[in-house]
Structure formats: C-alpha cells, structure tokens
Amino acid sequence: MRHIISILLENEPGALSRVVGLFSQRNYNIESLTVAPTEDHTLSRLTITTIGDDRKIEQITKHLNKLIDVVKLVDLTEGSHIERELMLIKVKATGAQRAEIKRTTDIFRGQIVDVTSTVYSIQLTGTSDKLDSFIAALGNAAVLEVARTGVTGISRGEKVLSL
Amino acid sequence: MELLSGGEMLIRALHDEGVELMFGYPGGAALHIYDAIFNQDKVDHILVRHEQAATHAADGYARATGKPGVVLVTSGPGATNAITGIATAFMDSIPMVVISGQVDSSLIGSDAFQETDMVGVSRPIVKHSFMVQKAEDIPAVVKKAFYIATTGRPGPVVIDVPKDVTDPARKFEYRYPESVKMRSYSVPAKGHTGQIKKAVEILLAAKRPVIYAGGGVIQGNGSELLTRLAQTLGFPITNTLMGLGAYPATDKQFLGMLGMHGTYEANMAMHFSDVVLGIGVRFDDRVTNAVNKFCPGAKILHVDIDPASISKTVAADVPIVGSVTSVLEEMLELIGSADARVDSKSLELWWQQIEGWRAKQCLKVKSAEGETIKPQQAVQSVYKATRGEAYVSSDVGQHQMFAAQYYHFDKPRRWINSGGLGTMGFGFPAAIGVQLAYPDAISVCITGEGSIQMCIQELATCLQYGLPIKIVCLNNQALGMVKQWQDMQYGGRHSHSTYSESLPDFIKLVEAYGHVGMRIEKLSELDSKMEQAFALKDKLVFIDVAVDQAEHVYPMAIKGGSMKDMWLSKTERT
Ligand SMILES: Cc1ncc(C[n+]2csc(CCOP(=O)(O)OP(=O)(O)O)c2C)c(N)n1
Ligand SMILES: [Mg+2]
C-alpha cells in the first residue's frame, strides 16, 4: 500500500542525506519526496511517499525515528488527511486543440499560466491521481514537459504535526 | 574563563568526558590536534600502525570495559582506513567516538589534497555524525557525540574536524557543558509494565521454555539480572555468539551457543520450545536459519532497547522496548510477587528431553591419529592454561567458532569478537585495547594464519607499549572456513583458499618485531608448551599451533532448513 510519511527534520547540514540514504541503504523505495523549511527556521518538513506492506512501513518509520535529526514523524495515510501535488505541464496547443485543451483545463480547475502562439503552460493542483487523470485526459495533445512537485500533505481536523 | 584553541578544546573536552585513552595515527589535517595532545598529559594516546587497528583497538577496549572507545585519525586515507573498524563497531552496537581531521573549511568540496567526504562515506555505518562548523561548537559537539554513542542502543559516532577549526592561533572561552539536551533524541528507559506482566504470565505458564540471550545483555550490563532470572525460573538458556558470557557457560542450565554453529541441544531446544524469551538479541539469520521455519510452536517474547530490532525478521508476540536491566528487574519483581509458579512438572519433562539431546555430546572431540592436534584441542589447551580467566579476542573463521565453542566464558565482556560484520583482522588490535584497559589481565587472541596477517603490523605497537598479549594461531595453512564451505557446497574445489607454500615463518616474523615465537606441532606437547607460553607473563608470545587441516566446524546448520536441521559431522545429519 502507498503511504505518505511527513517528517519534521532538524534543519542541519547532512540531515536530508541521512533520510534519503536510509531508504537506499535498506532497499525501501521513494515514490516522491518534498522538502522545505517550516515557520520555525530550525525545522524542515519532509514528505515522502513510499509503498510497502504494514511490516515494511513499520520498519521504515522505526528506522526514520532512530535518525537523530528526525524530530517527529507521522504516517498521514493512517488517518484521514489532505494530500496535494502541484504540476506544471507544457503542451503543444495549435489550431482546434487550443480550445479543447482550455476546456479540459477548466474541467480540472487548472490554470493556463503562460501562453505562446503554439504552447500552453498549465498549472494544476490536486491529488496525484487527479494529476495523472489530467495527463490522460489531454488525450493525443502533445505533452512537451512535465514538472511535478511530489506529494505533500496534512492531517484533517485537530491533529497537527508540530513540536 | 580559560582561553583554548580548537585543538586544545577537543582534547580538554575528551578529558572532561572521562576519556583516559585514545588510539590514533597522525597526519596533516590532524596536526594541530596532535600538538594539543603533546602539550598535556591527561589523555593518553596510543600510536597504532594502521588506522583500522586504531578502531579495532578502541572497540576491544570498549567491549572489555563498557566505556566508549576513542579514535583519532587524519583526513582522507586516515579516515577511510578507519571505515572497516567503524562498520565493525556499528554492526555490534559498540560505543565509539571517532574524530577525523578534515581539510580547511575553505577547501571542502574542492578535491583538495587528502580530502574525503568522511561524513558521507561513513553515513550508513554510524549512529550519528557531526561536522564541526566553528571552534566554539567543539565542547557541545563532543558532549553530544559521547551521549549519543553511549546511550540507548550504543554505536559509533564520527566527529569530522576541519583543520582551520583547530588553529592554535585562535583561542576561545572554554566551558564543558554539564548536560545534553536534544529534542530529537530520547532513550527508551523502562519497558511497558503491561507488556512485561503479559510476558511473565506466559513464562510462568510455559511448558517448554527457553531463554535466548545476546550481546544486548552484555552491552546493557544485564548479565547478573539475567542469571538471577534464569535461575529463579530454572529455565534452559542459550547465548548467541555475541552473548557468550552473559550467562555462565559452566552452569548446568546453559545449553551452549545457538545458531549456525550452535550446539545440538541449544538448537533443538529452540526449535521444540513453546516459549522463547529473546533478550538483547536480533533474530539474526545466523541464528534463525530459514525464518519461515523458525520455532514453529513458540510464542516469542522479545526484549530490546531498539524498537527497530523488534519484529524486524521474526514477529514478536510480546514486544518489550526497554533497557535490559529495567525489564529484567521488573520481571524478577513480578515473578516474586506472582501467585502462579512455574509449571515444574512440564519443566522436568522438558529438561529430560534436553538431557537426551545433550547426551549426544555434539562437541566431543575425537582425537586424530598420532600426534596431530585438533584445533578444538588447542582451544581447550588455552582454556586450561588460562584457568578460564582470560579475555579472549578472536578473528573470523573456523578458529573463531572453535574458540566460541570450547572456551567457556563464565563472565561477560571476556569474549571479544566481531559477530555482526565478521571482520578478519579484528582480533589482534582488539586484544591491544583489552590489554591496555586491563594491564594485569591475560589478553589472548585466538586467530588463524589468514586473519592475523590482516593486522600483523600491530606487533610494533605491542613492542612500543610493552603489551604482553598471547597470540594463539590455529594454523591450518588455509582460509579454513572458506575451504569448509567449498568442501560442503562446491564439490571440494578450493578456489583461492589455500596457500601453504607461501606462509611466512611466523616465529622469525615475531622475533623481528622483538617478541617471542613458539611453535607447537605435537599433541603430546600441546599442554606443556601452552603452559610455558602463558608463563611468560611480561612478553608478547606468538604461539603457532599446527592443527589438523581437514577439520570442519560442527554442528553446522543446513541452509534453508529450520534450527533443528544440522550437520553433526561430515557424515551425520539430523
Ligand atoms: C576482511 C574479511 N575478508 C574476508 C572474509 C571472509 N572469510 C571468512 S572466514 C575466512 C577465512 C579465515 O581464515 P583464517 O583466519 O586462517 O581462519 P580459519 O578459518 O582457517 O580458522 C575468510 C576469508 C572476512 N570474514 N573478512
Ligand atoms: Mg586458517
């Protein structure tokens, strides 16, 4: 099963490489990884999506917790949560396709953020599935470039990941 | 407040941390630090002849004393030479602090002379590492490093120190912190009482219990409590290779070592048990054999300080995360106050069954023809000559298994061996660490002619510091353990495992280093010559024992089977 693990990490040199190194060293896979500072400048927040059975995920979280730089972590997929990924996608848009792509973008509530006479650059936010569906829905329109941020997430309700 | 340079602060901080001894080897990036060592007499420094030996010696010191081992090396090749020893300590959870010199901060990343990304290279084999950013940070970094290395599940910590940070011309106010506060590191202390209660109930109701104890008990100083627990319950107990000495080997409740080369009775008892109490163990593949066939009828109770060790390979029915001492204390209290008593009827039947297995005498040594010495007999001879009182380090191979099987350790911290990484070259430097920690004790290294050549240069270190170590070389003229596997699994094709025509004359070699050499070739002379060698109390003696080259280590687990599947000799299997 796919899991989303969010981590508060000491904002120290080498901290990120310890997390990433753990995954390769123990043969765990990383589907996506995002990292950025938080409102507290001593902490970064890292979100990793990974795939594994319960036993493997338990090992992953235990080993992450053992890293000295990991201050706190939560497996968001254990409870209800909100997950988002942002995608910037550049597609060839000429002739009749221009209107078609615009319509599809509206349906998915995306925005066209840059335009040339032959190219649209579109921004879209949502779950990873939604982004995948959008690409599929573009059908035979030529996709020139895709930039995705990877998943980030937060628990629903009162639950917070903080110190 | 005192003004000290970065180099001086480093050494002073070691002293304030209680460090008496460190092992190292100098070089450019570490020279400011070495100058600071020269100007003080509080922390002793032992000059080895290879950085790998510095880490193994510090490791041996740590295993024998329970105190952290300390290493100092220079950047680049000094640091990379230390890697094998750091990995060895990491695999066996040994507390160690390794200080490595680094090129000037301004040169980092420029492929400068002797620059290696030590923090990066060592990352997967350390508990944690630090790169010192500025001299003022040194006291706090040292304090944290020792705290992390010695608490929880211990392990090696690297401190990488750029040369400019240790500049003697720049002085700073020095104050050693009294305590450490780290929001991201906490040490599990006591086990969960509810879980411990549950475990005790299961133990008291057990019909065929066995206690399986490992290196964690030794590291956690839990041997005495473990012995009390085993004797209170009257349960059979087995130790892992790392756990030898956690329970007195000469006691009748002891079944011997378990696992790949464990005794018949220990492995059979594990397999047919209904309750396994694992303490300070990690259900290593060298113990369990095929995990899916492991102890089919047993409830597993698992005590360990590291939550990640629990249910890693074998799912625990009752997991208990905590220090062995706190958990064992609580177990003993609960047993004392419980209404229930052990099921002594079932236990008696269980012991009868175990005695039946024991009667097989799987470790009985059959003498060879004539004067040929069996390697097992050589270990027995060392045991007699040292009255079982020695600190015994070992390398890796058949000799290591014979040492584990035939030297009976009644006390913890006497058996010094690289179990997890299996590092040839570990034994001799480790014996140096032991001898320096306990100058009056007998420090023996039981080794093979293969392994000893991996750190033989340390004979010079022993001369310099007058270390009267006894090296017992079970010389089978081959990489015996490799050869054994080739005999058993590769149709006897000895690919690159023999070299009898090119062995050095060890006697001349040790004499060249200023020590005493002795050769034993006849069984009839074994015990008397061994006594003679150990009587030379102030000398390093290299005892080269010619042993039967065809001997194999038995019992030996049959790959892919359960714990009850073993070869008992070249022809007999269970
Ligand atoms: C550094 C290292 N290299 C290779 C091995 C693989 N290995 C394990 S046992 C062994 C043979 C050891 O020979 P020796 O020291 O003579 O011991 P013996 O088995 O003959 O008693 C080898 C090569 C190892 N454990 N460590
Ligand atoms: Mg050999």
Side-chain angles (χ1 to χ4, degrees):
Chain A
M1 211 188 104
R2 174 171 165 276
H3 287 253
I4 305 172
I5 299 170
S6 259
I7 303 167
L8 290 179
L9 191 69
E10 293 285 2
N11 194 0
E12 298 269 352
L16 179 61
S17 78
R18 278 192 255 270
V19 174
V20 175
L22 174 72
F23 275 76
S24 63
Q25 177 187 346
R26 295 197 177 262
N27 213 6
Y28 307 144
N29 82 318
I30 298 183
E31 292 278 300
S32 78
L33 167 90
T34 69
V35 56
T38 63
E39 79 287 1
D40 173 350
H41 71 277
T42 65
L43 287 175
S44 308
R45 180 164 176 142
L46 211 113
T47 305
I48 292 178
T49 53
T50 183
I51 290 175
D53 56 21
D54 289 353
R55 186 115 172 241
K56 188 156 189 176
I57 299 298
E58 184 183 327
Q59 276 294 311
I60 291 177
T61 52
K62 279 176 171 177
H63 278 290
L64 282 169
N65 267 318
K66 268 176 79 173
L67 293 178
I68 311 287
D69 292 324
V70 168
V71 185
K72 223 170 181 183
L73 69 78
V74 62
D75 180 352
L76 290 174
T77 28
E78 269 182 358
S80 63
H81 64 280
I82 299 156
E83 61 172 278
R84 289 291 179 271
E85 187 176 355
L86 183 135
M87 172 167 72
L88 294 171
I89 179 167
K90 205 173 260 200
V91 290
K92 198 160 177 89
T94 48
Q97 276 202 321
R98 282 180 88 82
E100 181 60 32
I101 293 169
K102 173 78 171 67
R103 236 186 334 266
T104 311
T105 305
D106 288 343
I107 292 169
F108 278 82
R109 297 190 200 181
Q111 291 159 285
I112 298 174
V113 290
D114 190 48
V115 181
T116 73
S117 55
T118 55
V119 168
Y120 279 160
S121 293
I122 303 160
Q123 171 188 313
L124 189 67
T125 317
T127 62
S128 305
D129 278 354
K130 177 178 160 187
L131 306 191
D132 292 342
S133 314
F134 178 71
I135 296 174
L138 286 174
N140 47 11
V143 174
L144 302 172
E145 188 179 346
V146 175
R148 294 171 70 149
T149 57
V151 176
T152 189
I154 204 160
S155 310
R156 281 188 187 277
E158 313 273 301
K159 223 172 130 193
V160 288
L161 175 62
S162 70
L163 296 193
Chain B
M1 224 180 269
E2 243 178 315
L3 289 180
L4 297 178
S5 73
E8 289 165 341
M9 281 201 274
L10 195 56
I11 302 305
R12 176 65 72 83
L14 293 179
H15 174 64
D16 285 340
E17 193 54 49
V19 174
E20 292 164 0
L21 199 63
M22 64 200 291
F23 302 85
Y25 206 86
L31 285 185
H32 295 331
I33 305 173
Y34 270 90
D35 202 45
I37 292 176
F38 191 83
N39 291 321
Q40 55 88 53
D41 57 5
K42 297 198 166 102
V43 184
D44 266 344
H45 176 280
I46 302 296
L47 177 69
V48 293
R49 297 300 183 272
H50 187 300
E51 290 87 349
Q52 180 183 347
T55 50
H56 292 331
D59 182 326
Y61 176 89
R63 290 181 204 237
T65 61
K67 294 189 264 183
V70 181
V71 176
L72 174 60
V73 295
T74 190
S75 68
T80 54
N81 271 351
I83 291 293
T84 300
I86 298 173
T88 303
F90 181 71
M91 288 295 277
D92 290 343
S93 310
I94 304 303
M96 182 186 284
V97 173
V98 179
I99 300 162
S100 52
Q102 183 54 279
V103 299
D104 277 352
S105 310
S106 60
L107 293 176
I108 290 177
S110 70
D111 302 321
F113 177 62
Q114 295 195 329
E115 181 189 357
T116 296
D117 173 11
M118 180 57 169
V119 167
V121 169
S122 63
R123 201 211 70 240
I125 51 162
V126 294
K127 186 170 173 189
H128 196 56
S129 49
F130 296 91
M131 157 81 86
V132 179
Q133 307 287 335
K134 43 189 199 316
E136 301 93 298
D137 294 346
I138 287 176
V141 166
V142 171
K143 183 83 195 171
K144 279 186 192 167
F146 277 87
Y147 180 64
I148 292 170
T150 54
T151 52
R153 180 175 181 171
V157 174
V158 162
I159 309 177
D160 204 28
V161 191
K163 188 170 184 181
D164 53 305
V165 165
T166 58
D167 183 355
R170 291 166 51 233
K171 308 250 178 189
F172 304 86
E173 285 186 355
Y174 171 83
R175 199 180 62 82
Y176 197 62
E178 267 160 30
S179 60
V180 208
K181 265 235 251 357
M182 294 176 74
R183 61 181 174 185
S184 58
Y185 177 70
S186 62
V187 179
K190 282 187 77 231
H192 188 279
T193 301
Q195 291 288 89
I196 299 176
K197 275 201 180 117
K198 213 155 121 195
V200 165
E201 276 166 26
I202 293 172
L203 285 172
L204 291 176
K207 298 198 179 317
R208 298 181 311 281
V210 60
I211 302 174
Y212 150 44
V217 176
I218 292 177
Q219 291 295 316
N221 298 314
S223 303
E224 235 168 87
L225 287 165
L226 173 71
T227 306
R228 278 232 316 270
L229 180 82
Q231 296 184 348
T232 305
L233 294 169
F235 287 1
I237 175 165
T238 173
N239 286 161
T240 64
L241 178 67
M242 291 306 299
L244 294 176
Y247 187 86
T250 52
D251 185 84
K252 59 186 187 317
Q253 276 172 249
F254 188 61
L255 306 185
M257 179 170 77
L258 83 171
M260 179 169 270
H261 294 297
T263 63
Y264 179 66
E265 53 270 33
N267 287 342
M268 294 297 273
M270 285 290 288
H271 185 81
F272 290 103
S273 64
D274 70 341
V275 174
V276 170
L277 171 60
I279 310 181
V281 291
R282 55 193 181 91
F283 294 83
D284 182 79
D285 52 272
R286 283 291 188 270
V287 164
T288 59
N289 209 355
V291 183
N292 57 347
K293 298 178 188 161
F294 177 73
C295 298
K299 281 211 174 76
I300 309 285
L301 322 177
H302 190 181
V303 183
D304 203 280
I305 197 155
D306 179 6
S309 269
I310 290 177
S311 298
K312 183 174 67 176
T313 55
V314 171
D317 296 294
V318 183
I320 301 171
V321 178
S323 73
V324 285
T325 47
S326 73
V327 174
L328 285 168
E329 257 164 24
E330 212 170 329
M331 280 186 167
L332 279 162
E333 263 167 44
L334 286 167
I335 291 167
S337 62
D339 296 330
R341 285 283 164 267
V342 292
D343 181 349
S344 46
K345 266 242 177 65
S346 302
L347 202 55
E348 210 180 299
L349 288 173
W350 179 226
W351 270 114
Q352 276 172 21
Q353 199 173 357
I354 290 172
E355 291 306 336
W357 292 323
R358 217 179 223 167
K360 227 181 169 55
Q361 296 192 291
C362 67
L363 294 181
K364 194 177 161 106
V365 185
K366 289 187 209 72
S367 281
E369 305 264 298
E371 285 281 28
T372 305
I373 300 168
K374 289 274 183 189
Q376 299 92 325
Q377 292 170 324
V379 176
Q380 287 172 330
S381 181
V382 175
Y383 184 70
K384 278 181 263 173
T386 57
R387 325 284 178 254
E389 285 293 332
Y391 288 80
V392 180
S393 74
S394 159
D395 275 296
V396 179
Q398 293 182 319
H399 63 271
Q400 172 194 28
M401 291 302 133
F402 291 134
Q405 290 173 331
Y406 292 89
Y407 200 102
H408 308 295
F409 296 94
D410 279 338
K411 292 179 189 155
R413 301 194 179 282
R414 296 295 173 111
W415 167 237
I416 313 287
N417 126 97
S418 164
L421 197 67
T423 310
M424 289 172 68
F426 169 81
F428 179 30
I432 292 178
V434 172
Q435 191 76 80
L436 283 159
Y438 300 117
D440 298 326
I442 311 172
S443 176
V444 192
C445 170
I446 297 182
T447 184
E449 80 303 314
S451 296
I452 192 67
Q453 293 188 73
M454 285 210 178
C455 273
I456 192 105
Q457 74 286 342
E458 298 309 315
L459 285 167
T461 309
C462 293
L463 185 67
Q464 181 171 356
Y465 299 98
L467 305 177
I469 292 164
K470 303 294 176 283
I471 301 171
V472 180
C473 178
L474 306 191
N475 193 336
N476 55 9
Q477 305 193 15
L479 301 172
M481 188 58 95
V482 172
K483 197 170 139 223
Q484 172 170 348
W485 283 52
Q486 289 169 338
D487 283 337
M488 296 175 76
Q489 294 170 25
Y490 297 89
R493 294 183 295 282
H494 295 159
S495 179
H496 297 271
S497 56
T498 59
Y499 40 43
S500 52
E501 54 311 309
S502 55
L503 278 170
D505 180 336
F506 285 111
I507 309 305
K508 278 194 190 146
L509 184 72
V510 294
E511 283 172 2
Y513 274 102
H515 303 298
V516 178
M518 238 179 179
R519 182 149 172 92
I520 309 181
E521 291 175 334
K522 293 191 183 129
L523 182 61
S524 58
E525 294 175 356
L526 177 62
D527 286 346
S528 59
K529 283 203 169 166
M530 199 65 83
E531 285 285 347
Q532 269 175 40
F534 279 91
L536 294 174
K537 292 214 177 334
D538 305 331
K539 295 272 185 205
L540 182 149
V541 185
F542 188 107
I543 306 139
D544 190 25
V545 190
V547 296
D548 185 354
Q549 298 174 18
E551 190 60 319
H552 283 181
V553 182
Y554 293 109
M556 180 165 176
I558 297 171
K559 199 173 153 51
S562 69
M563 285 192 79
K564 72 174 180 358
D565 300 310
M566 289 164 267
W567 285 103
L568 297 173
S569 72
K570 284 184 186 171
T571 49
E572 189 192 358
R573 53 172 293 175
T574 55

